[in-house]
Coordinates of all heavy atoms in Angstrom, one line a residue:
G1 N 107.6 90.0 106.3 CA 106.8 91.1 106.5 C 105.8 91.3 105.5 O 105.8 90.7 104.5
K2 N 105.0 92.2 105.8 CA 103.9 92.6 104.8 C 104.2 93.9 104.1 O 104.7 94.8 104.7 CB 102.5 92.8 105.6 CG 101.4 93.2 104.7 CD 100.1 93.5 105.5 CE 99.1 94.1 104.6 NZ 98.0 94.6 105.4
M3 N 104.0 93.9 102.7 CA 104.2 95.1 101.9 C 103.1 96.0 102.1 O 102.0 95.7 101.9 CB 104.5 94.6 100.5 CG 105.0 95.6 99.7 SD 106.7 95.3 99.6 CE 107.2 96.1 98.1
F4 N 103.5 97.3 102.4 CA 102.4 98.3 102.7 C 102.3 99.4 101.6 O 101.7 100.3 101.7 CB 102.6 98.9 104.0 CG 102.5 98.1 105.2 CD1 103.5 97.5 105.9 CD2 101.1 97.7 105.5 CE1 103.3 96.7 106.9 CE2 101.0 96.9 106.7 CZ 102.0 96.4 107.4
V5 N 103.0 99.2 100.5 CA 103.1 100.3 99.5 C 101.7 100.7 99.0 O 101.5 101.8 98.9 CB 104.0 99.8 98.3 CG1 103.9 100.8 97.1 CG2 105.4 99.6 98.8
C6 N 100.8 99.8 98.9 CA 99.5 100.1 98.3 C 98.6 100.8 99.3 O 97.6 101.5 99.1 CB 98.8 98.9 97.8 SG 99.4 98.2 96.4
D7 N 99.1 100.9 100.6 CA 98.3 101.5 101.7 C 98.8 103.0 102.0 O 98.1 103.6 102.7 CB 98.4 100.7 102.9 CG 97.7 99.4 102.9 OD1 96.9 99.2 101.9 OD2 98.0 98.5 103.7
F8 N 99.9 103.3 101.5 CA 100.5 104.7 101.8 C 99.5 105.8 101.3 O 99.2 105.9 100.2 CB 101.9 104.9 101.1 CG 103.0 104.2 101.8 CD1 103.9 103.7 101.1 CD2 102.9 103.8 103.2 CE1 105.0 103.0 101.6 CE2 103.9 103.1 103.8 CZ 104.9 102.7 103.0
G9 N 98.9 106.5 102.3 CA 98.1 107.6 102.0 C 96.7 107.2 101.8 O 95.8 108.0 101.6
A10 N 96.3 106.0 102.0 CA 95.0 105.5 101.8 C 94.0 106.0 102.8 O 92.8 106.3 102.5 CB 94.9 103.9 101.8
N11 N 94.5 106.3 104.0 CA 93.6 106.6 105.1 C 93.9 108.1 105.6 O 93.8 108.6 106.7 CB 93.8 105.7 106.4 CG 93.4 104.3 106.1 OD1 92.4 104.1 105.5 ND2 94.2 103.4 106.6
L12 N 94.2 109.0 104.6 CA 94.6 110.3 104.8 C 93.5 111.1 105.5 O 93.8 112.0 106.4 CB 95.0 111.1 103.6 CG 95.6 112.4 103.7 CD1 96.9 112.3 104.5 CD2 95.9 113.0 102.4
A13 N 92.3 110.8 105.3 CA 91.2 111.5 105.9 C 91.1 111.3 107.5 O 90.6 112.1 108.2 CB 89.8 111.0 105.3
N14 N 91.7 110.2 107.9 CA 91.8 109.9 109.3 C 93.1 110.4 110.0 O 93.3 110.2 111.3 CB 91.8 108.3 109.6 CG 90.4 107.8 109.0 OD1 89.5 108.4 109.1 ND2 90.5 106.5 108.6
C15 N 94.0 110.9 109.3 CA 95.3 111.4 109.8 C 95.2 112.9 110.3 O 94.5 113.6 109.8 CB 96.4 111.3 108.7 SG 96.6 109.6 108.1
P16 N 96.1 113.1 111.3 CA 97.2 112.4 111.7 C 97.0 111.4 112.9 O 98.0 110.7 113.3 CB 98.2 113.5 112.1 CG 97.3 114.6 112.6 CD 96.1 114.5 111.8
G17 N 95.9 111.4 113.4 CA 95.6 110.5 114.6 C 95.2 109.1 114.4 O 95.2 108.3 115.3
G18 N 94.7 108.7 113.2 CA 94.1 107.4 113.1 C 95.1 106.4 112.7 O 96.3 106.5 112.7
D19 N 94.6 105.1 112.3 CA 95.4 104.0 111.9 C 95.9 104.2 110.5 O 95.2 104.9 109.7 CB 94.6 102.7 111.9 CG 94.3 102.3 113.3 OD1 95.1 102.7 114.3 OD2 93.3 101.6 113.5
G20 N 97.1 103.7 110.2 CA 97.6 103.8 108.8 C 98.2 105.2 108.5 O 98.1 105.6 107.2
C21 N 98.5 105.9 109.4 CA 99.0 107.3 109.2 C 100.5 107.6 109.3 O 101.0 108.7 109.4 CB 98.3 108.3 110.2 SG 96.5 108.4 109.9
V22 N 101.3 106.4 109.2 CA 102.7 106.5 109.2 C 103.1 106.2 107.8 O 102.8 105.1 107.2 CB 103.3 105.5 110.2 CG1 104.8 105.6 110.1 CG2 102.8 105.9 111.6
G23 N 103.9 107.0 107.2 CA 104.4 106.9 105.9 C 105.7 106.0 105.8 O 106.2 105.6 106.8
P24 N 106.3 106.0 104.6 CA 107.5 105.1 104.5 C 108.7 105.7 105.1 O 109.7 104.9 105.3 CB 107.6 105.2 102.8 CG 106.9 106.3 102.4 CD 105.7 106.4 103.4
D25 N 108.7 107.0 105.3 CA 109.9 107.6 106.1 C 109.7 107.4 107.6 O 110.6 107.9 108.4 CB 110.0 109.1 105.7 CG 111.4 109.6 105.7 OD1 112.3 108.7 105.7 OD2 111.7 110.8 105.8
G26 N 108.6 106.9 108.1 CA 108.4 106.7 109.6 C 107.8 107.8 110.2 O 107.8 107.8 111.5
T27 N 107.3 108.8 109.5 CA 106.6 110.0 110.2 C 105.2 110.0 109.9 O 104.7 109.3 109.0 CB 107.2 111.3 109.9 OG1 107.1 111.5 108.4 CG2 108.7 111.4 110.2
R28 N 104.4 110.7 110.6 CA 103.0 110.8 110.6 C 102.6 111.6 109.3 O 103.1 112.7 109.0 CB 102.3 111.5 111.7 CG 102.4 110.6 113.0 CD 101.2 109.9 113.2 NE 101.2 109.0 114.3 CZ 100.6 107.8 114.4 NH1 99.9 107.5 113.2 NH2 100.6 107.1 115.4
Y29 N 101.5 111.1 108.5 CA 100.9 111.8 107.5 C 100.1 113.1 107.9 O 99.4 112.9 109.0 CB 99.9 111.0 106.7 CG 100.5 110.0 105.7 CD1 100.4 108.6 105.8 CD2 101.1 110.5 104.6 CE1 100.9 107.8 104.9 CE2 101.6 109.6 103.6 CZ 101.5 108.3 103.8 OH 102.0 107.5 102.9
T30 N 100.1 114.1 107.2 CA 99.1 115.1 107.3 C 98.9 115.6 105.9 O 99.8 115.5 104.9 CB 99.7 116.3 108.1 OG1 100.8 116.9 107.4 CG2 99.9 116.0 109.6
P31 N 97.8 116.2 105.5 CA 97.6 116.5 104.2 C 98.7 117.5 103.6 O 98.9 117.4 102.5 CB 96.2 117.3 104.3 CG 95.5 116.7 105.4 CD 96.6 116.3 106.4
A32 N 99.2 118.4 104.5 CA 100.2 119.4 104.0 C 101.5 118.7 103.8 O 102.3 119.2 103.1 CB 100.3 120.5 105.0
R33 N 101.7 117.5 104.2 CA 103.0 116.8 104.1 C 103.0 115.7 103.1 O 103.9 115.0 103.0 CB 103.5 116.3 105.4 CG 103.7 117.4 106.5 CD 104.2 116.8 107.8 NE 105.5 116.2 107.6 CZ 105.8 114.8 107.8 NH1 104.9 114.1 108.2 NH2 107.0 114.5 107.7
L34 N 101.9 115.5 102.3 CA 101.8 114.4 101.4 C 102.2 114.9 100.0 O 101.8 115.9 99.5 CB 100.3 114.0 101.3 CG 100.1 112.8 100.4 CD1 100.7 111.6 100.9 CD2 98.6 112.6 100.1
Y35 N 103.2 114.2 99.5 CA 103.8 114.5 98.1 C 103.8 113.2 97.3 O 103.8 112.2 97.8 CB 105.2 114.9 98.3 CG 105.5 116.2 99.1 CD1 105.8 116.1 100.5 CD2 105.1 117.4 98.5 CE1 105.9 117.2 101.2 CE2 105.3 118.6 99.2 CZ 105.6 118.5 100.6 OH 105.7 119.7 101.3
D36 N 103.9 113.5 95.9 CA 104.1 112.3 95.0 C 105.5 111.9 95.2 O 106.4 112.4 95.9 CB 103.8 112.7 93.6 CG 104.7 113.8 93.0 OD1 105.8 113.8 93.4 OD2 104.3 114.5 92.1
Y37 N 105.8 110.6 94.6 CA 107.1 110.0 94.9 C 108.2 110.9 94.4 O 109.2 110.9 95.0 CB 107.2 108.7 94.2 CG 108.5 108.0 94.5 CD1 108.8 107.4 95.7 CD2 109.5 108.0 93.6 CE1 110.0 106.8 96.1 CE2 110.7 107.4 93.8 CZ 110.9 106.8 95.1 OH 112.1 106.2 95.4
G38 N 108.1 111.5 93.3 CA 109.2 112.3 92.7 C 109.6 113.4 93.6 O 110.8 113.6 93.9
A39 N 108.6 114.2 94.0 CA 108.9 115.4 95.0 C 109.5 114.9 96.3 O 110.3 115.4 96.9 CB 107.6 116.2 95.3
W40 N 108.9 113.8 96.9 CA 109.4 113.2 98.1 C 110.7 112.8 98.1 O 111.6 113.0 98.9 CB 108.4 112.1 98.6 CG 108.9 111.5 99.9 CD1 108.7 111.9 101.1 CD2 109.6 110.1 100.0 NE1 109.3 111.0 102.0 CE2 109.8 109.9 101.3 CE3 110.0 109.3 98.9 CZ2 110.5 108.8 101.7 CZ3 110.7 108.1 99.4 CH2 110.9 108.0 100.8
S41 N 111.2 112.0 97.0 CA 112.4 111.5 96.9 C 113.5 112.6 96.6 O 114.6 112.6 97.3 CB 112.6 110.5 95.8 OG 112.4 111.1 94.5
T42 N 113.1 113.6 95.9 CA 114.0 114.8 95.9 C 114.3 115.5 97.2 O 115.4 115.8 97.6 CB 113.5 115.8 94.8 OG1 113.3 115.1 93.6 CG2 114.4 117.0 94.6
R43 N 113.1 115.7 97.9 CA 113.2 116.4 99.2 C 114.1 115.5 100.2 O 114.8 116.0 101.0 CB 111.8 116.6 99.7 CG 111.1 117.7 98.9 CD 109.6 117.8 99.2 NE 109.3 118.2 100.5 CZ 109.1 119.4 101.0 NH1 109.0 120.4 99.9 NH2 108.8 119.7 102.1
S44 N 113.9 114.2 100.1 CA 114.6 113.3 100.9 C 116.1 113.3 100.6 O 117.0 113.3 101.5 CB 114.1 111.9 100.9 OG 112.8 111.8 101.5
Y45 N 116.4 113.3 99.3 CA 117.8 113.4 98.8 C 118.5 114.8 99.4 O 119.6 114.7 99.8 CB 117.8 113.4 97.3 CG 119.2 113.6 96.8 CD1 120.2 112.6 96.8 CD2 119.6 114.8 96.3 CE1 121.4 112.7 96.2 CE2 120.9 115.0 95.8 CZ 121.8 113.9 95.8 OH 123.0 114.2 95.3
V46 N 117.7 115.9 99.3 CA 118.3 117.1 99.9 C 118.6 117.0 101.4 O 119.6 117.4 101.8 CB 117.5 118.3 99.5 CG1 117.9 119.6 100.3 CG2 117.4 118.5 98.0
R47 N 117.7 116.5 102.1 CA 117.9 116.2 103.5 C 119.0 115.3 103.8 O 120.0 115.7 104.7 CB 116.6 115.7 104.2 CG 116.7 115.5 105.7 CD 115.8 114.5 106.3 NE 116.0 113.2 105.6 CZ 115.0 112.3 105.6 NH1 113.9 112.5 106.3 NH2 115.2 111.1 105.0
D48 N 119.2 114.2 103.2 CA 120.2 113.3 103.3 C 121.6 113.9 102.9 O 122.6 113.6 103.5 CB 120.0 112.0 102.6 CG 118.7 111.2 103.1 OD1 118.3 111.5 104.3 OD2 118.2 110.3 102.5
S49 N 121.6 114.7 101.9 CA 122.8 115.4 101.5 C 123.3 116.3 102.6 O 124.5 116.5 102.9 CB 122.6 116.1 100.2 OG 122.3 115.3 99.1
L50 N 122.3 117.1 103.2 CA 122.7 117.9 104.2 C 123.2 117.1 105.5 O 124.1 117.6 106.1 CB 121.5 118.8 104.7 CG 121.1 119.8 103.7 CD1 119.7 120.5 104.1 CD2 122.1 121.0 103.5
Y51 N 122.6 116.1 105.7 CA 123.2 115.1 106.8 C 124.7 114.8 106.5 O 125.5 114.8 107.4 CB 122.4 113.9 106.9 CG 121.0 113.9 107.6 CD1 120.1 112.9 107.3 CD2 120.7 114.9 108.4 CE1 118.9 112.9 107.9 CE2 119.4 115.0 109.0 CZ 118.6 113.9 108.8 OH 117.3 114.0 109.3
A52 N 124.9 114.4 105.2 CA 126.3 114.1 104.8 C 127.3 115.2 105.0 O 128.4 115.1 105.3 CB 126.3 113.4 103.5
L53 N 126.8 116.4 104.6 CA 127.7 117.6 104.7 C 127.9 118.1 106.0 O 129.0 118.6 106.4 CB 127.0 118.7 103.8 CG 127.1 118.5 102.2 CD1 126.2 119.6 101.6 CD2 128.4 118.5 101.7
F54 N 126.9 118.0 106.9 CA 126.9 118.5 108.1 C 126.5 117.5 109.2 O 125.4 117.5 109.8 CB 126.1 119.8 108.4 CG 126.3 120.8 107.4 CD1 125.4 121.0 106.3 CD2 127.4 121.6 107.4 CE1 125.7 122.0 105.3 CE2 127.6 122.6 106.5 CZ 126.8 122.8 105.4
P55 N 127.4 116.5 109.5 CA 127.0 115.3 110.3 C 126.7 115.7 111.8 O 126.0 115.0 112.5 CB 128.2 114.3 110.2 CG 129.3 115.2 109.7 CD 128.7 116.3 108.9
D56 N 127.2 116.8 112.3 CA 127.0 117.2 113.6 C 125.7 118.1 113.7 O 125.4 118.5 114.8 CB 128.2 118.0 114.1 CG 128.6 119.2 113.2 OD1 128.3 119.2 112.0 OD2 129.1 120.1 113.9
K57 N 125.0 118.3 112.7 CA 123.9 119.2 112.7 C 122.5 118.5 112.5 O 121.6 119.1 112.0 CB 124.0 120.3 111.6 CG 125.3 121.2 111.8 CD 125.1 122.2 112.9 CE 126.3 123.1 113.0 NZ 126.2 124.1 114.0
H58 N 122.4 117.2 112.8 CA 121.2 116.4 112.5 C 120.1 117.1 113.1 O 118.9 117.2 112.5 CB 121.4 115.0 113.0 CG 122.0 114.2 112.0 ND1 121.4 113.2 111.4 CD2 123.3 114.1 111.6 CE1 122.2 112.5 110.5 NE2 123.3 113.0 110.6
A59 N 120.0 117.5 114.3 CA 118.9 118.1 115.0 C 118.4 119.4 114.3 O 117.2 119.7 114.1 CB 119.2 118.4 116.5
D60 N 119.4 120.3 114.0 CA 119.1 121.5 113.3 C 118.4 121.2 111.9 O 117.4 121.9 111.5 CB 120.3 122.4 113.0 CG 120.8 122.9 114.3 OD1 120.0 123.1 115.3 OD2 122.1 123.2 114.4
I61 N 119.0 120.2 111.2 CA 118.5 119.9 109.9 C 117.0 119.3 110.0 O 116.2 119.7 109.3 CB 119.4 118.9 109.1 CG1 120.7 119.5 108.8 CG2 118.7 118.4 107.9 CD1 121.8 118.6 108.4
D62 N 116.8 118.5 111.1 CA 115.5 117.9 111.3 C 114.5 119.0 111.6 O 113.4 118.9 111.3 CB 115.5 116.9 112.3 CG 116.1 115.5 111.9 OD1 116.1 115.3 110.5 OD2 116.6 114.8 112.7
A63 N 114.9 120.1 112.3 CA 114.0 121.1 112.7 C 113.7 122.0 111.6 O 112.6 122.6 111.5 CB 114.7 122.0 113.8
H64 N 114.5 122.2 110.5 CA 114.2 123.0 109.4 C 113.9 122.4 108.1 O 113.4 123.0 107.1 CB 115.4 124.0 109.2 CG 115.5 124.9 110.4 ND1 116.4 124.6 111.4 CD2 115.0 126.0 110.7 CE1 116.3 125.5 112.3 NE2 115.5 126.5 111.9
V65 N 114.2 121.0 107.8 CA 114.0 120.4 106.6 C 113.1 119.3 106.8 O 113.4 118.2 107.5 CB 115.5 119.9 106.0 CG1 115.1 119.2 104.7 CG2 116.3 121.1 105.9
D66 N 111.9 119.3 106.2 CA 111.0 118.2 106.4 C 110.7 117.7 104.9 O 109.9 118.4 104.2 CB 109.8 118.7 107.1 CG 108.6 117.7 107.2 OD1 108.9 116.4 107.1 OD2 107.5 118.1 107.4
P67 N 111.0 116.5 104.6 CA 110.7 116.0 103.3 C 109.3 115.6 103.1 O 108.7 115.4 102.1 CB 111.7 114.9 103.0 CG 112.0 114.4 104.4 CD 111.9 115.6 105.2
G68 N 108.5 115.4 104.2 CA 107.2 115.0 104.2 C 107.1 113.5 104.0 O 108.0 112.8 104.4
E69 N 106.0 113.1 103.5 CA 105.8 111.6 103.1 C 105.1 111.4 101.8 O 104.6 112.5 101.2 CB 104.9 111.0 104.2 CG 105.4 110.8 105.5 CD 106.5 109.8 105.6 OE1 106.7 109.0 104.6 OE2 107.0 109.7 106.7
F70 N 105.3 110.4 101.1 CA 104.7 110.1 99.9 C 103.5 109.1 100.1 O 103.5 108.3 101.0 CB 105.6 109.7 98.8 CG 106.0 108.3 98.7 CD1 105.2 107.3 97.9 CD2 106.9 107.7 99.4 CE1 105.5 106.0 98.0 CE2 107.4 106.5 99.4 CZ 106.6 105.6 98.6
G71 N 102.6 109.2 99.2 CA 101.4 108.3 99.2 C 100.5 108.6 98.0 O 100.7 109.6 97.3
M72 N 99.5 107.7 98.0 CA 98.5 107.9 96.8 C 97.1 107.9 97.5 O 96.7 106.9 98.1 CB 98.7 106.8 95.9 CG 97.7 106.9 94.6 SD 97.8 105.5 93.5 CE 99.5 105.0 93.5
E73 N 96.4 108.9 97.3 CA 95.0 109.0 97.9 C 93.9 108.4 97.0 O 92.9 107.9 97.5 CB 94.6 110.4 98.1 CG 95.4 111.1 99.1 CD 95.0 112.6 99.2 OE1 93.9 112.9 99.7 OE2 95.8 113.5 98.8
N74 N 94.2 108.2 95.8 CA 93.1 107.7 94.8 C 93.1 106.2 94.8 O 94.0 105.6 94.4 CB 93.5 108.3 93.5 CG 92.3 108.0 92.5 OD1 91.7 106.9 92.4 ND2 92.0 108.9 91.6
P75 N 92.0 105.7 95.2 CA 91.9 104.2 95.3 C 91.9 103.5 94.0 O 92.3 102.4 93.8 CB 90.6 103.9 96.1 CG 89.8 105.1 95.9 CD 90.8 106.2 95.8
Y76 N 91.4 104.2 92.9 CA 91.4 103.7 91.5 C 92.8 103.5 90.9 O 93.1 102.6 90.3 CB 90.4 104.5 90.6 CG 89.0 104.5 91.1 CD1 88.5 105.7 91.7 CD2 88.3 103.3 91.2 CE1 87.2 105.7 92.2 CE2 87.0 103.4 91.7 CZ 86.4 104.6 92.2 OH 85.2 104.6 92.7
C77 N 93.6 104.6 91.3 CA 95.0 104.5 90.8 C 95.7 103.4 91.6 O 96.5 102.7 90.9 CB 95.7 105.9 91.0 SG 95.2 107.1 89.8
R78 N 95.4 103.3 92.8 CA 96.1 102.2 93.6 C 95.7 100.8 93.0 O 96.5 99.9 92.9 CB 95.6 102.3 95.0 CG 96.3 101.4 96.1 CD 95.9 101.6 97.4 NE 96.3 103.0 97.9 CZ 95.5 104.0 98.2 NH1 94.2 103.8 98.0 NH2 96.0 105.1 98.6
L79 N 94.4 100.7 92.7 CA 94.0 99.4 92.1 C 94.6 99.1 90.9 O 95.1 98.0 90.5 CB 92.4 99.4 92.0 CG 91.8 98.1 91.5 CD1 92.0 97.0 92.4 CD2 90.3 98.4 91.3
L80 N 94.7 100.1 90.0 CA 95.5 100.1 88.6 C 96.9 99.5 88.8 O 97.4 98.7 88.1 CB 95.4 101.3 87.9 CG 96.0 101.3 86.5 CD1 95.4 100.3 85.6 CD2 96.1 102.7 86.0
C81 N 97.5 100.1 89.9 CA 99.0 99.8 90.1 C 99.1 98.4 90.5 O 100.1 97.8 90.3 CB 99.5 100.8 91.1 SG 99.7 102.4 90.6
V82 N 98.2 97.9 91.3 CA 98.2 96.5 91.7 C 98.2 95.5 90.4 O 98.9 94.4 90.5 CB 97.1 96.1 92.6 CG1 97.0 94.7 92.9 CG2 97.2 96.9 93.9
F83 N 97.5 95.9 89.5 CA 97.3 95.0 88.3 C 98.4 95.2 87.2 O 98.5 94.5 86.3 CB 96.0 95.2 87.6 CG 94.9 94.5 88.4 CD1 94.0 95.4 89.1 CD2 94.8 93.2 88.6 CE1 93.0 94.8 89.9 CE2 93.8 92.6 89.3 CZ 92.9 93.4 90.0
I84 N 99.2 96.3 87.4 CA 100.3 96.5 86.3 C 101.4 95.7 86.6 O 101.9 95.3 87.6 CB 100.7 98.0 86.3 CG1 99.6 98.8 85.7 CG2 101.9 98.2 85.5 CD1 99.8 100.3 85.6

């Protein structure tokens, strides 16, 4: 497969309806749901912990806990990361 890490958040101006608007968690990007990796991973950890504590409440957890998506909007930072 193709690695898409450098593309996450690159087309945020076209989201949520355009191409490249699906993040690493499989949901659609919106400006309000875009987080840096640290915030996104913490929010995902909390959601996954709730899944583990309450396995019969997945629908309720999904309705109230949204970790969002992570990405990088700045093309210069993205280019720098490619060379590091």
Side-chain angles (χ1 to χ4, degrees):
K2 180 183 172 193
M3 193 97 156
F4 291 104
V5 174
C6 291
D7 293 343
F8 289 148
N11 297 320
L12 189 63
N14 300 328
C15 297
D19 291 334
C21 293
V22 176
D25 209 20
T27 62
R28 291 262 178 213
Y29 277 118
T30 62
R33 296 182 66 243
L34 183 67
Y35 297 98
D36 64 27
Y37 181 78
W40 174 79
S41 66
T42 301
R43 293 166 66 95
S44 294
Y45 174 80
V46 169
R47 180 202 55 201
D48 294 345
S49 297
L50 290 170
Y51 284 160
L53 288 170
F54 307 104
D56 57 331
K57 302 283 187 185
H58 276 248
D60 291 334
I61 294 168
D62 285 339
H64 294 94
V65 179
D66 178 19
E69 289 291 353
F70 83 90
M72 185 185 319
E73 295 179 66
N74 189 317
Y76 300 111
C77 287
R78 186 176 293 111
L79 184 62
L80 178 66
C81 289
V82 169
F83 288 108
I84 292 182

